[in-house]
Amino acid sequence: MSEGLKREYQLLEEIGRGRFGTVYRCVSSVSGQFLACKSIEKVLLSDSIDRECLDKEAKIMQLVSGHANVVQIYDVFEDENYHDMVIELCDSSDLFDRVSKRLFSETEAAGVMSPLMEAIAHCHSRGVAHRDVKPDNVLFDSRNRLKLADFGSAEYFREGRSMRGIVGTPYYVAPEVLAGRDYNEKVDVWSCGVILYIMLAGIPPFYGESAAEIFEAVLRGNLRFPTRLFHSVSPSAKDLLRKMLCKDVSRRLSAEQVLRHPWIVNAGGEARTVADLT
């Protein structure tokens, strides 16, 4: 890690490891606050594109920081060998760990989906698409507050200007990304729809034995609600899923529209009417 980091923070134990670097728990020498440090060895970066992505991640995090449901960034340090980011510490289990253990009630699922969509809507209002929303990147702090994390695949967008590039994770990536077409920020809404489906059903909506099979299923986008899994799921929840996992991007809800859907407004309870928000 960089010398600048060592001067201002004391590194503690390792709490995570990725392709290029390591995440440590650390403590501020000034405030005594416990935080996390993502330390990346530059020698492991394969080319200039990786370095550009690293710089972009820090800048994007600084742009979207300040929202209660987005992981905050505190400091960035860099020298010849290391690129270090000091970020908010989320030391509770992530959403991947939670969904792998049990099904969620509709009320519990809405309790996750509402702050997650608040975070997504905030990013979109700042002209940022996350592009890799998945349970592993949905963290919780010590007070169980949801925090959207890992902006390594995030990209800027502007009104009327689309994005390109195949990024994301099997199961959660939107079909227009896999098709190689231009796409917009609604790819994040699709990914959140997949998360909601998994919380309620325990399985992903588009499944395969390999990445290629998963991608084929996503591209077909044939959304089903098997009776054995959805017999107790409300019509309002299914309506929201249809409108988030809609292949026609022009009819797919925006993040703001998801937040106004009756199922979200009623915190997972059955609404009397389902508004047509398309």
Side-chain angles (χ1 to χ4, degrees), residues 57-69:
E57 180 181 8
K59 289 175 182 175
I60 283 178
M61 288 194 71
Q62 288 165 340
L63 179 62
V64 300
S65 270
H67 190 277
N69 300 118

Side-chain angles (χ1 to χ4, degrees), residues 6-22:
K6 292 177 185 176
R7 281 195 298 271
E8 299 193 31
Y9 296 90
Q10 179 186 350
L11 261 64
L12 305 172
E13 74 275 14
E14 178 182 322
I15 56 176
R17 187 174 286 267
R19 187 159 57 117
F20 298 128
T22 307

